[in-house]
Structures are given as C-alpha cells and as structure tokens.
Amino acid sequence: MHTSSAWRGAVVDRVILIGFMCSGKSTVGSLLAGRLDWEFVDFDQEIEGAHNLTIAEIFRDYGEEHFRRLEAELTEVVEDRRRVVLAPGGGWVIQPELALRLRDNSLTIWLRVQPDTVYRRHRLQGDVERPLLAGEDPRGDIRSLLAAREPLYQQADVAIETEGRTPAELVEEIAGLLANWAEEGPDGHDC
C-alpha cells in the first residue's frame, strides 16, 4: 500500500475508488459501502440506467467524448453527497477537474491492477463489451491505456495493490485505513 502525504482534511465521508477497468472498483465499492452502511454509486451503472443504453452502446452511438460529458454530469450530481462510496469508470481520471470537484472530505483510493490480470478478467467477462478494448490487440491496448493513465491514478491519496487479494480483504484494508484516519490522521498522528 502507498499513502500520499498530501491529506486534505481529517473527516472522510466519501471514498472514491479509481483504477483501470477490471480492477474491482464495482465489487469492492459495493462491499465497502455495505460494510460502512454508506450509499454506493457505480458511475457506469448509473449512466446506463439513466440513458437506457449500455456503455458500449453509448460509445458506439455517441462517442467517447459524449460519454465523458455524462461522467462529468454525474460527478456534479454526486458532488454534495456524503457517506458515499463512488466507483467512477476507469477513464474518469482523464478529466482531472472532476476529482478536484470531489476532493473535500474525500479519500481517493487507487486499486492497482496488473495488465495481465485485466486481460484475464476481461476475457472471463466475455458478455461485457469494453469499447476501448475492442481492437485487434486488446493486450496491447490494455498496456498502452494503463501506461497513459497511471500518472493520473498516482494522484490518489492511497494506492492499494489488488493482485492475489480477494475483494473482502481489500474492503477490510480500506475500512481499517478509514478507522485509522478518523482516530489518528493520515500520518498516524493525532489530528
């Protein structure tokens, strides 16, 4: 686990899970929200439900730029929510201003995943269309997209490696981190 020294406040009432597709944001986010008795917002599910289209259909029919606008609109909708776990899509970070809108009282956690794991999980979820991996070389696409986004993911307050760990283990680590932050502050010192 990597922890940023740049902490913005002692009270955390919003957790934002960022990371590449197939990193476990939706699964971990749902479990974490249940553990904390907080609301859970999965951005992709919210966008699909609001527009009655899959993410793949939105990309195909309207393009990536339109989808990014929908993400920005949803970010504005959730901006004032508290006691919430947010799981934006993997590309949400390419609009850094969105994270800035949510920075107060938020803990941003990067769920790190390796390219081979993304590919394996993507193949296992064969019924889930991922528009950015629809090319001839999904492995190459994963590596290049992940490399391009990694500096943005590194802006998170905390990075947690997901390799070889269950969603339940990740939830326990995050819950423990939140408890420590509430008691001692980000560096283990009393606030």
Side-chain angles (χ1 to χ4, degrees):
M1 174 181 69
H2 151 77
T3 305
S4 167
S5 61
W7 179 245
R8 291 178 282 278
V11 176
V12 173
D13 57 11
R14 180 170 43 218
V15 172
I16 305 167
L17 299 176
I18 63 170
F20 201 67
M21 61 185 84
C22 298
S23 62
K25 297 181 302 291
S26 297
T27 302
V28 171
S30 177
L31 292 172
L32 179 63
R35 169 90 156 66
L36 299 173
D37 197 25
W38 287 8
E39 176 187 8
F40 175 59
V41 179
D42 181 299
F43 276 45
D44 287 353
Q45 288 179 2
E46 290 289 319
I47 290 170
E48 286 180 341
H51 299 278
N52 202 29
L53 294 167
T54 67
I55 300 303
E57 290 168 336
I58 293 169
F59 267 74
R60 183 192 66 223
D61 296 345
Y62 302 100
E64 182 176 359
E65 187 175 317
H66 178 76
F67 176 71
R68 299 298 171 205
R69 277 195 304 274
L70 297 177
E71 285 183 315
E73 290 170 8
L74 183 53
T75 300
E76 186 176 338
V77 168
V78 301
E79 186 173 1
D80 293 325
R81 292 190 191 173
R82 299 290 180 242
R83 296 176 51 88
V84 63
V85 176
L86 304 176
W92 182 79
V93 296
I94 68 173
Q95 301 179 83
E97 68 278 7
L98 300 182
L100 290 174
R101 292 185 77 140
L102 300 178
R103 75 173 174 244
D104 292 339
N105 300 337
S106 294
L107 178 65
T108 303
I109 299 173
W110 172 25
L111 297 181
R112 292 185 62 180
V113 64
Q114 298 303 313
D116 288 341
T117 301
V118 173
Y119 181 75
R120 187 180 76 252
R121 290 176 181 172
H122 168 63
R123 302 279 296 169
L124 288 173
Q125 297 174 342
D127 60 331
V128 177
E129 278 187 76
R130 299 197 183 269
L132 297 178
L133 300 183
E136 295 291 319
D137 181 18
R139 273 197 165 125
D141 294 340
I142 290 166
R143 289 185 193 288
S144 62
L145 271 173
L146 192 51
R149 291 178 182 172
E150 190 162 309
L152 299 168
Y153 294 141
Q154 289 173 347
Q155 300 301 310
D157 298 306
V158 177
I160 297 177
E161 184 63 51
T162 63
E163 293 301 311
R165 303 182 66 202
T166 67
E169 290 170 336
L170 297 171
V171 166
E172 287 308 308
E173 180 173 346
I174 295 167
L177 183 65
L178 287 168
N180 288 340
W181 238 297
E183 292 173 15
E184 300 177 358
D187 298 317
H189 305 296
D190 291 335
C191 295

